[in-house]
Amino acid sequence: QVLLGESGGGLVQAGGSLRLSCAASGRTFSSYVMGWFRQVPGKEREFVSAISRSGHSRYYTDSVKGRFTISRDNAKNTVYLQMNSLKPEDTAVYYCAATLNYNSDYGAINTYDYWGQGTQVTVSS
């Protein structure tokens, strides 16, 4: 069992930056692969990024490559998503997710067992 809580969302103009944080409960944070997903009303939740347990491996959906950076600090039980050069199409609720599974498809929603409540990111034109 792990509890996740996202923060750092807000309203930003196109071209701006935000850093999302996801704080996790418990003492086994380093055992989890962590991911970020996003969702807009009426659309399916989509994969954004994931990071391995050690932080050595990172994965991104094509639309955010070169703009977003995922990182983690296991000593702080926190995963981050640095979002630069934001576009209006990045507007969504962003969710943090965790799984004990590794060597799996980290872009698949059903890989993840635990989810945060989400934080709203709005990018204006």
Side-chain angles (χ1 to χ4, degrees), residues 37 99 101 105 107-113 115:
F37 289 74
T99 180
N101 298 318
D105 180 3
I109 293 171
N110 61 11
T111 293
Y112 296 86
D113 304 302
W115 296 84

Side-chain angles (χ1 to χ4, degrees), residues 80-125:
Y80 306 95
L81 187 67
Q82 178 67 47
M83 305 186 295
N84 298 328
S85 302
L86 282 162
K87 304 174 180 180
E89 50 262 47
D90 295 317
T91 295
V93 176
Y94 283 71
Y95 295 91
C96 178
T99 180
L100 289 171
N101 298 318
Y102 57 94
N103 293 331
S104 301
D105 180 3
Y106 298 118
I109 293 171
N110 61 11
T111 293
Y112 296 86
D113 304 302
Y114 306 102
W115 296 84
Q117 81 289 344
T119 186
Q120 177 71 47
V121 172
T122 302
V123 184
S124 63
S125 302

Side-chain angles (χ1 to χ4, degrees), residues 14-57:
S17 298
L18 287 172
R19 189 175 78 156
L20 306 183
S21 298
C22 174
S25 68
R27 296 182 293 275
T28 59
F29 179 72
S30 63
S31 297
Y32 291 87
V33 173
M34 303 297 298
W36 287 97
F37 289 74
R38 63 189 181 188
Q39 188 169 27
V40 299
K43 303 291 185 180
E44 295 182 351
R45 193 168 297 188
E46 69 172 353
F47 171 74
V48 177
S49 186
I51 188 167
S52 64
R53 295 174 297 173
S54 68
H56 182 262
S57 298

